[in-house]
Amino acid sequence: MTTRLKALRDWVAEVAELTSPDRIHWCDGTEQEYRKLIDEMLDSGTLLELNQQSYPGCYLHRSDPQDVARVEHLTFVCTRDQEDAGPNNNWKAPADAKELMKSCFAGCMRGRTMYVIPYCMGPIDSPYARCGVEITDSAYVVANMYLMTRIGKPALKRIEKDKTFVKGLHSTGDLNPERRYIVHLPEELTIMSYGSGYGGNALLGKKCHALRIASYQARTEGWLAEHMLIVGVQSPAGDIRYLACAFPSACGKTNLAMLIAPESQKGWKVWTLGDDIAWMHLDKDGQLRAINPEAGYFGVVPGTNPHTNKNAYDTIQHDTIFTNVAVTADNDPWWEEKGSGKPTVDWVGKPYDGKNGPAAHPNSRFTVAARQNPAYSNLAEAPEGVPISAVVFGGRRRELAPLVYQAKDWAHGVLVGASVASETTAAATGKVGVVRRDPMAMKPFCGYNYGDYWAHWLSFAKRSNKLPKIFHVNWFRRDANGKFLWPGYGENLRVLRWIIDRCDNRVDAIEKPIGFLPKPSDIDLKGLDVSSATLEQLLAVDPEQWRAEMKSIGEYFAEFGGRLPGELTAEHQKVVRALG
Ligand code: GTP
Ligand code: SPV
Ligand code: MN
């Protein structure tokens, strides 16, 4: 296989010249190719076969123990002008970044195969889809891209038609954490990733392209590339409302995207469109529509069980790649809170004695094709996407943020999104459980200056009067003993129902300085072990705490100096004044 697109041929030749691979393989994206790759990885030990009776088509990959999460401190956005990357990104001058990466990549594929993966983010026939080509020396990356995106011949055909593509160059290198860089050149639609084989560092279609590069493109082209799940919530009457929800990494997107209604919520049904990324455009009528650029899930494994997330649990019973989980004596995959089985070997491959932390890595992941999800929406691959009724922001906050509230209008909603803060998780290296600012859940993923990004969000109000309503949720509020106040998971449907009731003007709300809060009687608690006192606690807005929060948000905003839109400052001031 090769291509008639000269720009692509030239780039592949140039990379081969730099990296000196033994072989070049153009991925055609067929099942036979996938099978062959799996067999080769089983031979080389990159993959281990799991029990094929109980988990047919499932394999385990153990990554390097030092390479288990995204590395935000080694991720760079390299714009010509540092201001364009903003204080929210690490920056290097493009020329310096290129030189550094060139020195890393020089000869790095000697003895290896160089895979060329043409891929399409979004349904192949969607006007909103965008393509890229990832060059990698990792068969594991190819297999993951096969499950999660649309790769091979159909993508290449589209690239040849579009005549443009994002260039992503990746090598696992020697996995030295001191020589690991994830570099983006948004002005050149280029990504260079060296020294990691893990998830968001290496599967370049995902965070690198579909968020960092795409968000940069979306700004100039008038659309949005967001770290959001997309769901359809169907009422007993059969009406479906689509929601796009942005929560930081490991804060519940996959779980909400696959939610199953509890017993007491008869007739409600949730359909999954996407679990991590949404690309949203205004259509000609001013309706915001979303597509999921991905075709599979790279989901957090621990905590997945038939009670928390039965759809995910069922989805990963076959044809799944598990990364960094434990195994049982029967060679089944195992993870914390799986609810059955016992681990005998931990995620690094050592006998599990229960003494050295969890058996599965807290950021262990499953990779699986979306079509295996029993709740996969029949509109998930609609080229025109689905109409979004509500945008929902959320974070992991043990205090302060109530279970749910609604922004007063679009501009206030942008403030609510820009004010998101959340406890850090195992999805990125570094300390876990520290509250940090994570506007729109995009801190690690916004490919340009946050000040410009907020201005871009605000600009939508001038372009449409049919924009979605904006909300904020927090499933993670705790009591004085550290226990979650809200049961979460399937029960979150009760909160989605209030959100939809608000969108459809079915219920009033209580106006507070921070936004509209539900009347407690409008949250359905039927069949739920949550007292009205607990609900009151969940919905409480403590003015003292909120004054402190607004002060800290103001200080954070000030870091963006002249790039901070005046309209956002005005929205902030309004809330500060209302809080007194
Ligand atoms: P990324 O893939 O990193 O972007 O994460 P995500 O946002 O998709 O998070 P995911 O749904 O995988 O959930 C992460 C963790 O949060 C898992 O351990 C879940 O079990 C837990 N979790 C998800 N939803 C809830 C909830 O409603 N309540 C509580 N208490 N925990 C939840
Ligand atoms: C996240 O960290 O938000 C993920 C996993 O979805 S990764 O693909 O590694 O970015
Ligand atoms: Mn994510």
Side-chain angles (χ1 to χ4, degrees):
M1 218 168 110
T2 179
T3 176
R4 57 185 164 84
L5 189 64
K6 185 170 180 305
L8 177 52
R9 273 202 319 271
D10 288 351
W11 178 57
V12 171
E14 184 192 311
V15 170
E17 166 95 27
L18 173 66
T19 60
S20 311
D22 277 16
R23 287 165 296 275
I24 300 179
H25 175 86
W26 288 72
C27 299
D28 62 13
T30 57
E31 211 181 313
Q32 296 88 294
E33 178 180 71
Y34 177 71
R35 269 281 17 127
K36 196 160 168 269
L37 277 169
I38 296 286
D39 289 340
E40 285 170 14
M41 285 190 280
L42 289 170
D43 284 346
S44 69
T46 303
L47 287 186
L48 303 169
E49 197 167 64
L50 290 163
N51 186 325
Q52 295 297 299
Q53 264 73 54
S54 43
Y55 282 85
C58 291
Y59 306 95
L60 167 64
H61 173 71
R62 293 198 184 111
S63 71
D64 184 287
Q66 304 258 49
D67 185 29
V68 295
R70 284 183 294 98
V71 282
E72 296 181 1
H73 61 297
L74 300 173
T75 299
F76 297 85
V77 170
C78 306
T79 44
R80 262 168 311 207
D81 181 351
Q82 181 169 5
E83 278 275 295
D84 291 337
N88 46 303
N89 280 302
N90 300 316
W91 177 87
K92 284 182 193 298
D96 297 348
K98 282 192 250 187
E99 200 174 299
L100 170 69
M101 296 314 274
K102 224 174 168 171
S103 73
C104 291
F105 281 109
C108 74
M109 296 190 191
R110 213 161 271 141
R112 302 195 195 188
T113 302
M114 179 175 113
Y115 300 95
V116 181
I117 320 170
Y119 64 85
C120 180
M121 300 310 289
I124 289 272
D125 53 348
S126 170
Y128 305 137
R130 294 298 173 92
C131 293
V133 177
E134 173 164 1
I135 296 181
T136 179
D137 56 8
S138 161
Y140 169 80
V141 165
V142 181
N144 277 269
M145 289 288 283
Y146 170 83
L147 295 175
M148 294 184 51
T149 66
R150 295 153 176 97
I151 73 165
K153 279 192 179 142
L156 183 59
K157 229 173 114 186
R158 175 149 175 170
I159 291 170
E160 289 170 342
K161 195 179 89 202
D162 292 354
K163 296 189 178 57
T164 168
F165 60 96
V166 169
K167 292 177 186 164
L169 173 54
H170 168 256
S171 171
T172 47
D174 50 9
L175 294 172
N176 174 0
E178 304 296 315
R179 233 161 93 94
R180 180 173 291 164
Y181 306 101
I182 323 295
V183 163
H184 305 72
L185 298 146
E187 290 146 347
E188 300 174 36
L189 303 185
T190 293
I191 306 156
M192 290 180 272
S193 164
Y194 185 85
S196 166
Y198 191 84
N201 300 331
L203 312 173
L204 303 187
K206 196 173 175 64
K207 295 303 178 11
C208 301
H209 177 166
L211 287 179
R212 298 194 191 95
I213 300 285
S215 63
Y216 177 91
Q217 290 182 293
R219 181 194 170 210
T220 43
E221 297 170 8
W223 51 285
L224 294 165
E226 300 298 326
H227 191 204
M228 290 178 174
L229 68 97
I230 312 165
V231 277
V233 183
Q234 182 176 324
S235 73
D239 299 323
I240 305 185
R241 294 281 176 276
Y242 296 94
L243 277 51
C245 313
F247 311 151
S249 301
C251 289
K253 288 183 301 303
T254 302
N255 277 270
L256 192 68
M258 295 186 175
L259 184 151
I260 293 179
E263 271 306 305
S264 62
Q265 304 284 303
K266 277 259 166 328
W268 288 88
K269 164 94 192 152
V270 169
W271 301 100
T272 316
L273 290 100
D275 83 322
D276 200 47
I277 300 177
W279 284 359
M280 302 193 289
H281 292 74
L282 286 177
D283 70 12
K284 59 177 182 347
D285 303 320
Q287 170 69 55
L288 195 67
R289 307 188 74 90
I291 64 160
N292 171 15
E294 301 190 278
Y297 313 120
F298 185 65
V300 175
V301 187
T304 308
N305 65 50
H307 305 287
T308 54
N309 191 348
K310 185 173 188 306
N311 281 329
Y313 191 81
D314 291 348
T315 302
I316 60 178
Q317 295 301 306
H318 64 98
D319 299 297
T320 300
I321 297 177
F322 290 90
T323 300
N324 295 338
V325 295
V327 287
T328 67
D330 295 335
N331 203 24
D332 284 348
W334 192 91
W335 52 87
E336 273 61 31
E337 288 168 77
K338 184 182 185 187
S340 61
K342 254 184 24 212
T344 52
V345 175
D346 71 8
W347 66 276
V348 288
K350 292 218 177 75
Y352 184 63
D353 57 9
K355 289 191 197 121
N356 295 311
H361 190 276
N363 193 35
S364 52
R365 297 267 169 172
F366 55 76
T367 315
V368 68
R371 60 178 185 280
Q372 289 188 195
N373 172 6
Y376 195 45
S377 162
N378 59 9
L379 287 183
E381 309 199 11
E384 70 284 7
V386 291
I388 298 299
S389 299
V391 162
V392 183
F393 295 111
R396 192 182 274 271
R397 296 298 296 262
R398 54 174 63 233
E399 15 186 287
L400 187 89
L403 180 63
V404 60
Y405 65 100
Q406 183 189 353
K408 296 185 180 175
D409 54 26
W410 184 262
H412 178 228
V414 174
L415 172 71
V416 168
S419 304
V420 168
S422 193
E423 291 157 30
T424 50
T425 65
T429 57
K431 223 170 156 225
V432 167
V434 193
V435 176
R436 71 154 178 188
R437 298 260 144 237
D438 194 349
M440 279 81 171
M442 284 285 278
K443 169 67 186 64
F445 311 119
C446 181
Y448 61 105
N449 190 315
Y450 253 149
D452 300 336
Y453 171 83
W454 296 322
H456 181 49
W457 264 86
L458 288 163
S459 74
F460 278 71
K462 290 177 205 80
R463 293 169 55 203
S464 168
N465 53 15
K466 291 197 196 107
L467 291 173
K469 303 267 188 292
I470 298 181
F471 298 81
H472 187 285
V473 297
N474 177 22
W475 316 138
F476 301 95
R477 200 156 169 168
R478 302 192 197 218
D479 66 14
N481 303 317
K483 193 174 159 284
F484 289 118
L485 286 165
W486 180 249
Y489 300 101
E491 307 299 348
N492 294 334
L493 175 68
R494 299 166 193 267
V495 175
L496 302 187
R497 284 183 54 198
W498 182 77
I499 289 174
I500 291 167
D501 280 344
R502 289 293 295 167
C503 292
D504 292 352
N505 295 315
R506 271 192 296 269
V507 290
D508 297 333
I510 302 167
E511 184 166 357
K512 300 228 170 150
I514 66 161
F516 297 118
L517 274 101
K519 295 198 282 190
S521 57
D522 286 331
I523 302 281
D524 179 7
L525 294 182
K526 188 174 64 214
L528 194 61
D529 189 20
V530 170
S531 67
S532 49
T534 302
L535 184 61
E536 211 167 289
Q537 239 180 311
L538 278 160
L539 296 175
V541 176
D542 181 289
E544 200 52 55
Q545 274 189 336
W546 271 96
R547 277 192 284 269
E549 179 76 357
M550 293 316 288
K551 183 161 176 278
S552 128
I553 292 167
E555 285 160 8
Y556 173 67
F557 284 170
E559 292 173 26
F560 294 86
R563 297 278 182 128
L564 184 71
E567 204 182 342
L568 194 63
T569 310
E571 286 300 322
H572 178 252
Q573 281 310 308
K574 262 196 243 172
V575 180
V576 170
R577 273 198 305 275
L579 281 164

